[in-house]
Amino acid sequence: MSEHRRKAPQPQGGGRAAARRAAQQPAGRRTDPSHRVTQSSPSDAYGEEPSYGGRAEARRAAQRGGGGGRRRGGGDSSGRSREGSGKKRVIDYPRAGRDGFRRWVPSWRLVSGLCLGFLGLMMGAAGIAYALVVPPEPKDLATAQNNVYYWANGKQMVATGGSVNRQSLEYAQIPEAMRNAVISAENKSFETDRGIDPVGIARAVYNMARGGDTQGGSTITQQYVKNSMLTQDQTLTRKVKELFITLKVGETVSKEKVMEGYLNVSYYGRGASGLQAAARAYFDKDAAELDESECAFLATLLKGASYYDPAGAPDVDPVRATAEENTKRAKARWSWILDEEVKDGRLSAAKRATFTEFPKVKPPKKEAKLGGQTGYLVDLATKYFLAHNEEGVTEKELARGGYEIHTTFEETKVDELEKSIKKVYDAKIKPEERPDKDTHVEFGGASVDTKTGAIVATYGGQDATQHYTNNADATGAQVGSTFKPFVLAAAMELGRRNPELGPEQSASERTPVSPLSIYNGDNKLKIKKYDGSVWQNEDGKEWLQTNDGDESYGDMTLRHAMQESANSPFVQLGMDIGTDKVKDAAIDAGLRDDEYMADSSVPSFSIGTSSPSAIRMAGSYATFATSGKQREPFSVTEVKHKGKVIYQHKIVTNDAFPSIVADNVTDVLKNVVENGTGTPAQLSGRDAAGKTGTTDGNKSAWFVGYTPQLSTAVSMFRMDDDETKKDREFLEMYGTGGEKSIHGASFPAQIWQDYMTEALEGTKALRFPKPEPIGETVFGGGAVSPSPTPSPMPSPSESSEAPESPSPVPSSPSPSPSETCRPLDWECKNDQNGGTTEGNDNEGTTDGATGGGTDAGTTDGGTDTGTTEGTTEGTTEGTTEGEENDRGGIFGGGG
């Protein structure tokens, strides 16, 4: 057999690849390789043609670059898989025929298609949204619900606001002058724009960048829509909805209706929503009677009533929203609006020239149902909620109504506090008989639950519809000697500075001060810095501290100084520990740095030149009542809106002072009530602690005190009746109420005692905790240690260690809860020997620290009998301190 016959010729160009494909096909489809050979004569050249598979491979190779480039022979299997069957995809991603990162970069066709598709969807959605939105109806807001306030027991107190103060006007009833003022001030293109003014927005941005303050970027239509929306949530959904409504209103609602709606739903302050309510609130007239000047003023309020109401809004911003600042701000904008109207041709220059005086704005008024104390309580609760709610509810939203405000106020206690003050006022204050002494007399009061901080009662004035300043809140009346407990607390906790070291000293470098420390109580005492140098003011003058009535006490314990309310010891003590530390202690107790806190760099800071509110004073004393646990005073427990709870108060307890410090302050203040200037405040069968306070010039008087359950502050002052002034003038109270002068121990203490007796009736008589010994007996202000000493001890000095305690005394009856004997408590030891400490009773005294009394009297003028307090241990020689027999020792020091 020939060679030609024995071996069949092989196909050229990819025969093996074709064989592989054939092997991958199902068995039923496989073909005999011999059938792939072309029918040619065996004698033809090479005897065969390339198979089908070879030609396809060749075509693909040619498409990849002529078949001889990167891949030869059999080709690339991955390339075949990418090409697939040759079908085209609608979205070519990842991109076919691309390698590496190019495979994942979308083509311009894909990007363009997606953008066009997204734009089409958005336009469709916008069209649907535009078709579905409904323009707001001002009348819906005009009939908004009242806000309902509740007493602590859940009983309704009052329903206020709502439709009573919302009266819609038709376009024809709105003065043209008001429309002109608003257009010139808010939106000059109002009559021609389509609801949104791009030029105005750009101008506003430009002016803001330059620091200017002209008209904003929002049109009247935008503001109308925004004010009409029942929710003011700062969310993207609400803002998008607001935009669509604005566009719809701009295209479908007439300009007259937009202007009408805008002026009817805008908030003008004082609880007035709408032009008619605003005209009544500020000018006590109908809107139709407003002139161009009055309309220009009301237009200023649309920029922010809290900062343009001449009456001020210190509860919103005590620094920027005072009456003085607001009046200045309102006058400037009022004048600017009138000038803009002239520029716009909406007001003649001749008419503008007649408005040289700022319109006379009426003082704020309250609804008749907010008379008496109710208006003050509503204001307090409203202010508290607006300041503390986490939902961001604004004054404007609250004025729309529909809120349930549950307060902490107890109706019976509010009535009892008002009755106690009214009893004194009716019996003693006679403006007709003493017009120069008894006019403009004001009282304020606040009562706080010591365990929670809940404000259970306040007294803001005789009638909230006539006297608008809430006297329970900050009034500017200085607190006087009621500030001294903060000095004592700072001294016991932080200690007196070492005169040999720098002003900033650590706790280990300071000496903790005991209430039995001895300080100089002389009148006109030369006050020194902690290092012994004489303090001088910025004019180089020395500070000579006076006591009330120019009385000198000599060396006395701090406990005794608090009892008699002597000023000199506490002013010098404040300098020794640092007046900045005194301020810190007051803030820790509950006072606020931004609420009329005085300059703490001067010595007098320690004796009450600050003027916090009665609420804050009651709250800060409650910190001592709870052994140093401070809780913020609050007036709202819960707020609901449309049945949903949107606010709930959470009690937060802060550790203001160690219990040993707070309990010792309480023990000292208890002694004030039992034996000192606060004796008129004694409660039968109950522990009570407190402090009197009287200021220079007899311009204010306070009593602040507490039991374990309740802390109450009562203030009294005279002030001129111009409530628009930022710094109102306080008047002297010499001769007021028929008294020679007014002290904290007079009317304020009497009111406190009367109210607390009623408020605590039926409650358990609790006792204060017994204090533990604290600190060392130091000597200050020039006071020197007595010699010889009652028992062996080191020779003391101002910076020496405390002396050892006297020898043990025989068994004796247990001391009173106020007199717990300490190792260094010489007065307490003497009391157990049959005498009394600083005039506790009429059995006589032996004041081991500062001198001995006679058998017939009491130390420091505790009764009418008088005393003779010796200058050295166990003597009867010294100064007489009981000569004010007609006063019974009540009006001591600065109390």
Side-chain angles (χ1 to χ4, degrees), residues 44 53 143 162 285 287 356 426 476 666 696 844 862 888 890:
D44 291 342
T143 58
K285 62 173 63 174
T356 57
D426 292 345
T666 293
D696 289 343
I890 292 176

Side-chain angles (χ1 to χ4, degrees), residues 777-800:
T777 301
V778 300
F779 295 81
V784 295
S785 172
S787 180
T789 58
S791 61
M793 65 180 65
S795 177
S797 64
E798 280 195 68
S799 59
S800 69

Side-chain angles (χ1 to χ4, degrees), residues 165 268-269 272-285 298 301:
N165 207 19
Y268 297 80
S273 290
L275 179 62
Q276 175 63 15
R280 281 292 175 187
Y282 289 93
F283 298 109
D284 196 22
K285 62 173 63 174
L298 293 180
L301 298 173

Side-chain angles (χ1 to χ4, degrees), residues 170-440:
E170 299 293 336
Y171 182 80
Q173 296 174 297
I174 297 173
E176 182 181 4
M178 187 67 194
R179 303 196 300 267
N180 289 336
V182 170
I183 292 173
S184 290
E186 302 289 331
N187 183 193
K188 293 180 182 291
S189 64
F190 169 72
E191 293 169 326
T192 58
D193 63 41
R194 295 188 175 183
I196 295 178
D197 181 15
V199 176
I201 294 174
R203 182 173 57 249
V205 172
Y206 176 71
N207 287 334
M208 288 175 62
R210 296 181 57 195
D213 183 22
T214 58
Q215 66 190 93
S218 295
T219 64
I220 288 176
T221 306
Q222 286 175 278
Q223 295 180 61
Y224 161 55
V225 170
K226 181 179 179 180
N227 293 342
S228 299
M229 297 190 67
L230 297 179
T231 174
Q232 296 294 307
D233 298 335
Q234 297 300 314
T235 62
L236 180 61
T237 302
R238 187 196 66 79
K239 291 183 179 295
V240 171
K241 183 178 180 181
E242 182 181 302
L243 174 62
F244 282 117
I245 295 177
T246 300
L247 294 172
K248 186 69 170 282
V249 169
E251 292 294 332
T252 62
V253 181
S254 68
K255 293 295 182 179
E256 289 78 9
K257 283 294 182 182
V258 171
M259 177 63 73
E260 173 188 309
Y262 174 59
L263 294 178
N264 278 327
V265 302
S266 293
Y267 184 66
Y268 297 80
R270 300 190 182 184
S273 290
L275 179 62
Q276 175 63 15
R280 281 292 175 187
Y282 289 93
F283 298 109
D284 196 22
K285 62 173 63 174
D286 289 329
E289 301 172 10
L290 297 171
D291 63 24
E292 289 86 351
S293 176
E294 292 165 338
C295 288
F297 165 73
L298 293 180
T300 68
L301 298 173
L302 298 175
K303 192 172 179 65
S306 295
Y307 293 94
Y308 288 88
D309 183 351
D315 53 323
V316 176
D317 190 333
V319 177
R320 297 180 58 237
T322 62
E324 183 178 5
E325 290 297 319
N326 278 16
T327 300
K328 180 180 178 182
R329 201 178 289 118
K331 286 182 177 180
R333 186 163 177 81
W334 163 79
S335 179
W336 175 81
I337 289 176
L338 290 174
D339 291 341
E340 289 298 304
E341 289 187 70
V342 174
K343 292 179 184 178
D344 298 340
R346 299 181 181 278
L347 180 67
S348 68
K351 187 70 173 179
R352 167 65 180 94
T354 63
F355 300 124
T356 57
E357 295 291 331
F358 188 68
K360 188 172 181 57
V361 177
K362 300 285 184 181
K365 287 185 177 181
K366 296 186 182 295
E367 301 172 60
K369 57 186 173 183
L370 294 178
Q373 298 307 303
T374 304
Y376 301 123
L377 300 176
V378 167
D379 281 348
L380 281 175
T382 300
K383 181 171 68 174
Y384 184 87
F385 169 62
L386 291 175
H388 293 85
N389 79 90
E390 296 179 355
E391 296 288 324
V393 177
T394 64
E395 180 186 9
K396 184 188 298 183
E397 293 174 80
L398 189 63
R400 292 190 174 119
Y403 292 85
E404 296 179 19
I405 297 96
H406 296 262
T407 75
T408 60
F409 307 128
E410 298 182 21
E411 186 175 11
T412 55
K413 287 184 173 62
V414 171
D415 291 342
E416 287 159 357
L417 183 56
E418 184 177 27
K419 288 176 182 177
S420 298
I421 292 175
K422 193 173 186 298
K423 183 189 299 184
V424 169
Y425 194 96
D426 292 345
K428 297 292 185 178
I429 308 304
K430 307 290 184 183
E432 299 82 6
E433 297 178 12
R434 294 180 291 269
D436 59 333
K437 306 293 184 183
D438 287 10
T439 52
H440 310 312

Side-chain angles (χ1 to χ4, degrees), residues 81 177 199 201 241 441 447 530 601 644 658 670 729 790 819 849:
S81 64
V199 176
I201 294 174
K241 183 178 180 181
V441 175
S447 192
Y530 80 98
S601 66
K644 175 187 175 183
K670 182 182 177 185
E729 181 183 359
E819 294 295 330

Side-chain angles (χ1 to χ4, degrees), residues 48 106 274 320 325 335 346 483 490-491 555 557 580 739 787 810 861 881:
E48 58 184 9
R320 297 180 58 237
E325 290 297 319
S335 179
R346 299 181 181 278
F483 205 80
D555 293 353
T557 65
D580 60 326
E739 302 289 327
S787 180
E881 291 193 1

